[in-house]
Amino acid sequence: MSEDRRTPQDRTPENARAAAGRQPAKEHWHRRLLEGRIGLFAVLTTVVISIGGIVEIVPMFSVKTGPQPLAGVTPFTPLELAGRDIYIREGCYVCHSQMIRPMRAELQRYGEWTRAGELVYERPFLLGSRRIGPDLQRVGGKYPDAWHYEHMRDPRSTSPGSIMPPYAFLLERRIDPRDVMASVVAMRRLGVPYDNATIEQVAAHLNAQAALITRSLAAAQIDSEPDREIIALIAYLQRLGQDGRRALEAAEATTAATPAPATEGGS
């Protein structure tokens, strides 16, 4: 038996018929134009990748022309920002989204759908793409501080059947005000309007807000120190969706109080 010396391309039905002299193989245009021309292929690939990169990068530098903040939406406080950094570090956004879609089922479960104007100070966005756990866009104010404390210590103590892992180590770890100040400075460089007073008094802001949360926990018979990571995370979670909710309620109240324009010939 003779050895088959044909290449895999020669074995295709079209080329096999061509080799048999019945019909020439049909060559696609991209093979005729690009294959075998490495330089041209490299140039065209670079051009296409550059266009894709420009499309992704240019909007980042034109953010000022994007959605305007809703009235009353302000940047996170230093303690909330520290909690947000912990949220990112622990990968919470992998299992929890922060984007309520305008669909009946989501409105009934989570509340008002997410507006772009609520997220103007997010760097980066934490919208998420999966919901192994529930959406957290409107979780702020839904539960007391003690609930969040116990939920992070042992999720199944507050949510039976939860598959969320415990984060009890947050009850022991401490936040460093110098790290928080660095985060505030970095966010200002990214366009978040933190003023000099906020940056210079980061430690005071941390202590003041943390004291409120520790007092709330103490009322629930939970002892915690104000510089623990769990305090920062509680501050962040309790802030989620609060500004947007108030802004939407205010806009709705203004609309309801505004008299409807009189129609021609109407009473």
Side-chain angles (χ1 to χ4, degrees):
M1 180 179 293
S2 61
E3 182 181 0
D4 187 353
R5 297 181 181 275
R6 294 179 300 171
T7 64
Q9 185 176 0
D10 294 336
R11 295 193 184 100
T12 61
E14 293 83 0
N15 290 338
R17 284 194 295 270
R22 294 195 295 269
Q23 186 177 356
K26 182 180 180 182
E27 187 178 23
H28 295 287
W29 67 269
H30 56 83
R31 290 185 174 177
R32 184 173 62 257
L33 179 64
L34 299 176
E35 288 189 1
R37 300 179 181 181
I38 298 176
L40 177 61
F41 187 78
V43 170
L44 293 177
T45 302
T46 303
V47 170
V48 171
I49 293 176
S50 299
I51 293 173
I54 291 172
V55 171
E56 291 286 338
I57 294 172
V58 167
M60 296 172 58
F61 294 97
S62 61
V63 66
K64 290 183 180 179
T65 63
Q68 296 300 309
L70 293 179
V73 174
T74 58
F76 292 111
T77 66
L79 187 63
E80 293 160 359
L81 188 60
R84 188 176 188 271
D85 288 342
I86 296 169
Y87 185 91
I88 295 173
R89 184 193 70 196
E90 300 302 329
C92 302
Y93 58 89
V94 176
C95 296
H96 295 280
S97 62
Q98 291 187 28
M99 182 180 65
I100 304 171
R101 295 168 291 186
M103 303 170 66
R104 181 184 297 274
E106 298 203 11
L107 298 178
Q108 291 179 337
R109 180 175 183 183
Y110 299 119
E112 278 291 334
W113 54 277
T114 304
R115 268 70 163 182
E118 300 179 63
L119 308 174
V120 290
Y121 300 130
E122 295 278 351
R123 308 283 193 283
F125 294 109
L126 300 177
L127 303 177
S129 59
R130 293 198 302 174
R131 284 182 182 165
I132 295 176
D135 187 280
L136 299 181
Q137 171 65 25
R138 305 282 180 212
V139 77
K142 185 176 182 180
Y143 306 104
D145 295 341
W147 186 93
H148 288 292
Y149 185 97
E150 294 296 339
H151 186 67
M152 301 306 296
R153 183 186 62 80
D154 179 9
R156 280 160 289 284
S157 68
T158 56
S159 303
S162 172
I163 60 173
M164 177 174 150
Y167 290 85
F169 57 88
L170 298 179
L171 280 57
E172 303 298 330
R173 290 187 179 178
R174 302 177 186 275
I175 59 174
D176 188 336
R178 294 170 298 180
D179 293 339
V180 180
M181 179 180 290
S183 292
V184 175
V185 172
M187 295 296 275
R188 186 163 78 168
R189 290 177 178 172
L190 293 174
V192 181
Y194 288 113
D195 55 22
N196 291 332
T198 300
I199 296 176
E200 294 168 358
Q201 300 176 16
V202 161
H205 286 290
L206 291 174
N207 293 333
Q209 189 172 8
L212 296 176
I213 296 175
T214 53
R215 281 201 292 270
S216 171
L217 294 176
Q221 309 299 316
I222 297 174
D223 293 327
S224 181
E225 297 180 28
D227 62 346
R228 305 292 178 167
E229 288 188 347
I230 185 64
I231 302 299
L233 186 60
I234 290 174
Y236 172 65
L237 293 173
Q238 294 288 40
R239 177 66 183 280
L240 290 179
Q242 294 277 37
D243 286 0
R245 183 186 296 115
R246 285 192 291 268
L248 295 172
E249 290 174 352
E252 185 177 351
T254 301
T255 302
T258 302
T263 58
E264 184 176 354
S267 58

